[in-house]
Amino acid sequence: MEASDGQRVRDSHRRSPLDVIMSQIRRKRTASDRKPLGRFLSQTSDRAGIPEDGEMEGREERGVGEAADTEQDVGWGQVCVFLQRLGKKADSRSLSLAHCDLTATDLLELATLLQFLPQLEEMDLSWNELIGGCLKALTSYLHYVSGVRTLRLCSCRLNAEDIVAMGGLVSALPTLCVLDLSCNPQLAQEFSGGGFKELAATLSHTTSLTTLRLQACSLTTECLDALGGSLRCLPSVRELDLSCNKSLSGGLNRLTVHLSHLTQLESLNLHLCCLTRADLEALIQVLPALMALTELDVSSNKEAGGVVHPLVSALPLTQMKRLPLSSCSLNEESCTALALAVPYLHSMDVSWCKVVGGRLALLLDALQPSVITELCLSSCDLTTDDLRHLAAVCRRGCLSSLRVLDVSYNGFVGDDGWSALFAAGGLGSLEDIDLSLRPSTSASCAVWLPVLLCALPQLPALTRLAAQRWTIGSQDRQQLNHCLKKRSVLLEWDPDIRDATSSFKLTSYEESQPEE
């Protein structure tokens, strides 16, 4: 016993200063701090020595939840690091990786990170041509982001394997609303292998789809058969873009027979599809059934100029907002027919239609006040009188809502015409104006520039002024610099064009670009 007591004495002398302090603190605890034994055993607190079964389960559940939260936090950190490496900011709902030079390795890493993005609604991998052939890497992970509503894969060099993978990809996204596969020319070139046919068949099950864009995908008339059959099952589609598919020429009737099922279709884009007159006539036949249509683009189809009258007659004019007819070889009869639709249009584009020159008044007189927001008259052989008439329309207040005005490439307009336009006023909403000359020409703006300078205070919304190939003198340059000094107006002026006095280098387009 003595040895034991002596041992305890020696141990007490070996205790560290911290042990001594803690011992004193424990001795100072009051009686009220010491809970009775009965209370100690009956409580189910975190200090309980013997937890009950329910408490143990609760602890286990909390432990699992905390572990899951920790894992999610770590995963989100990995997502942030991945996106930071690509120069992007993390967003739990939107994943925008367009133009990021993604590789196959990047795509695989991204796929493994999808489990940490359960709220993802938008995914954009466009313009990453190195991921072509690797789309299958995504499909086995898409169940983590089944709520994605927008998927963009433009210009990714999708090949036959990708097209097959697209079927599984689309099937894994039951709420998909927007699908954009534009600028993938191999999408339809692999049709002989049945890839596009399988993709089209899968689309028929995406009943929530509202937007389908297949621009510049080398679609053929055979593709229209497969696509048309799927569209019959997609009455919710509101936008269909098949533009820049020249091989559709002569076979549009394979699609139009199914278009009547798209009762909610608002926008149909057939720009630059080399449509024949027979194609256009087939389209005109189905137009009365498309009662929700507000935008129809048949621009850059030469044959469209000869069917404007029946086209306009078949459209639901009172709700039409856009009917671009640029590069459509319009004739005098076409202009007269188009004038019937002009009062309702929010945008009028007749660029590259020479017949408009000298006849612009026919279209302008049909405008209704505060309706049109975009007016494109590029390369229309406009005359000085045309610009004067445009100025008169401005004074009447018909262009008070106009935001975009393109009167470029109209070299026949004299100084009086430009001066009249700028002096007219009535363009308080104008944001963008283009008066550039053709690349092979140049002219002095000394006569009308002072009028423009005086008009700038009446253009409070202006953000861009393009005047390429116009020359300017030193004094005018200084005055323009003074007028725009406190305004964030992007001025596109060719810095290499010189007049008799000096060259203009004020905020040229090249100089306005941010440094890399």
Side-chain angles (χ1 to χ4, degrees):
M1 177 67 69
E2 293 178 357
S4 177
D5 292 338
Q7 181 69 32
R8 284 197 297 271
V9 171
R10 287 192 297 272
D11 290 343
S12 66
H13 287 295
R14 293 195 189 102
R15 288 186 299 173
S16 66
L18 179 61
D19 293 333
V20 175
I21 294 172
M22 294 301 298
S23 177
Q24 292 175 352
I25 292 174
R26 283 192 293 270
R27 284 198 300 270
K28 289 181 180 179
R29 292 179 57 192
T30 63
S32 61
D33 291 333
R34 303 187 179 95
K35 295 180 173 61
L37 181 60
R39 289 176 59 193
F40 178 81
L41 293 177
S42 64
Q43 284 188 340
T44 57
S45 64
D46 289 341
R47 294 189 223 168
I50 307 176
E52 297 180 0
D53 292 343
E55 181 185 0
M56 181 62 73
E57 293 176 0
R59 287 186 180 182
E60 292 177 353
E61 291 177 359
R62 287 196 299 272
V64 172
E66 291 173 358
D69 291 341
T70 301
E71 182 181 1
Q72 185 66 26
D73 291 341
V74 172
W76 176 249
Q78 294 174 352
V79 172
C80 294
V81 171
F82 175 77
L83 294 176
Q84 186 177 15
R85 191 171 73 236
L86 298 172
K88 299 289 185 177
K89 292 183 179 180
D91 186 334
S92 62
R93 297 185 181 276
S94 177
L95 188 63
S96 180
L97 297 177
H99 299 280
C100 283
D101 294 327
L102 295 180
T103 64
T105 304
D106 294 328
L107 190 64
L108 181 59
E109 183 178 356
L110 172 62
T112 61
L113 294 175
L114 291 180
Q115 58 183 308
F116 306 116
L117 294 167
Q119 297 180 340
L120 195 65
E121 296 180 357
E122 180 177 355
M123 186 186 304
D124 188 353
L125 305 179
S126 300
W127 307 99
N128 290 290
E129 297 186 344
L130 297 179
I131 67 174
C134 307
L135 204 58
K136 188 176 180 180
L138 282 178
T139 54
S140 57
Y141 294 90
L142 284 178
H143 63 279
Y144 292 112
V145 290
S146 58
V148 167
R149 298 169 60 84
T150 300
L151 178 61
R152 296 186 176 92
L153 292 166
C154 306
S155 190
C156 289
R157 289 193 176 182
L158 303 183
N159 60 21
E161 295 180 0
D162 295 322
I163 297 170
V164 173
M166 276 297 303
L169 189 150
V170 172
S171 298
L173 304 175
T175 61
L176 188 65
C177 295
V178 177
L179 178 60
D180 193 345
L181 303 177
S182 298
C183 302
N184 285 291
Q186 288 185 312
L187 191 67
Q189 290 177 1
E190 305 291 344
F191 182 81
S192 57
F196 186 84
K197 186 176 182 179
E198 292 181 10
L199 173 59
T202 303
L203 288 177
S204 64
H205 301 292
T206 56
T207 55
S208 59
L209 195 67
T210 60
T211 300
L212 178 60
R213 300 189 184 114
L214 298 172
Q215 178 187 17
C217 286
S218 298
L219 299 182
T220 64
T221 53
E222 289 78 11
C223 294
L224 293 184
D225 284 329
L227 182 61
S230 298
L231 291 178
R232 295 173 63 94
C233 304
L234 301 174
S236 61
V237 170
R238 291 183 171 85
E239 178 184 344
L240 180 60
D241 186 351
L242 304 177
S243 60
C244 303
N245 287 289
K246 297 182 179 180
S247 296
L248 298 184
S249 177
L252 191 64
N253 63 314
R254 300 189 182 189
L255 176 69
T256 54
V257 294
H258 303 287
L259 284 181
S260 59
H261 296 277
L262 302 182
T263 56
Q264 299 183 45
L265 188 64
E266 298 174 0
S267 175
L268 177 59
N269 194 338
L270 296 169
H271 163 81
L272 194 60
C273 287
C274 295
L275 299 182
T276 64
R277 191 178 184 90
D279 291 328
L280 292 163
E281 290 174 348
L283 174 63
I284 291 170
Q285 289 180 2
V286 75
L287 286 180
L290 305 179
M291 297 304 298
L293 197 66
T294 61
E295 301 182 8
L296 175 62
D297 191 344
V298 291
S299 60
S300 297
N301 289 288
K302 300 296 183 182
E303 294 294 330
V307 296
V308 174
H309 188 275
L311 183 70
V312 169
S313 300
L315 288 170
L317 287 184
T318 57
Q319 62 192 40
M320 291 299 297
K321 296 180 180 179
R322 294 186 68 251
L323 182 62
L325 292 171
S326 58
S327 299
C328 283
S329 298
L330 298 183
N331 52 39
E332 295 183 30
E333 182 182 356
S334 302
C335 290
T336 303
L338 179 58
L340 299 175
V342 167
Y344 310 101
L345 299 179
H346 292 197
S347 172
M348 184 171 71
D349 186 355
V350 289
S351 297
W352 302 92
C353 294
K354 308 300 183 183
V355 71
V356 175
R359 298 178 179 84
L360 184 60
L362 178 64
L363 299 176
L364 295 181
D365 288 343
L367 291 173
Q368 294 297 310
S370 305
V371 175
I372 195 163
T373 60
E374 182 180 25
L375 182 58
C376 298
L377 303 168
S378 178
S379 191
C380 285
D381 283 354
L382 298 183
T383 65
T384 301
D385 286 341
D386 288 328
L387 265 289
R388 286 175 177 151
H389 202 92
L390 180 59
V393 172
C394 290
R395 285 193 294 270
R396 292 202 302 267
C398 291
L399 300 180
S400 59
S401 299
L402 193 68
R403 295 199 299 267
V404 177
L405 175 60
D406 185 356
V407 285
S408 61
Y409 294 9
N410 286 289
F412 294 142
V413 177
D415 292 332
D416 291 346
W418 298 116
S419 298
L421 175 62
F422 299 133
L427 294 172
S429 300
L430 191 65
E431 300 172 3
D432 188 307
I433 182 171
D434 193 341
L435 357 142
S436 300
L437 298 175
R438 294 179 183 277
S440 59
T441 62
S442 65
S444 173
C445 62
V447 174
W448 56 260
L449 184 59
V451 184
L452 173 61
L453 293 174
C454 293
L456 284 177
Q458 302 176 39
L459 301 173
L462 190 66
T463 59
R464 174 180 176 264
L465 169 61
Q468 302 282 5
R469 267 82 57 191
W470 288 100
T471 60
I472 189 172
S474 177
Q475 293 182 350
D476 291 334
R477 179 188 61 190
Q478 294 176 2
Q479 190 173 2
L480 185 59
N481 185 27
H482 176 73
C483 291
L484 299 180
K485 187 176 182 179
K486 296 183 179 181
R487 300 185 56 174
S488 56
V489 178
L490 174 61
L491 184 59
E492 298 182 11
W493 209 301
D494 207 329
D496 297 326
I497 298 297
R498 299 173 179 269
D499 64 5
T501 308
S502 64
S503 63
F504 179 76
K505 298 184 67 175
L506 168 66
T507 320
S508 67
Y509 178 72
E510 292 81 0
E511 293 172 335
S512 68
Q513 302 306 299
E515 294 182 0
E516 296 183 357

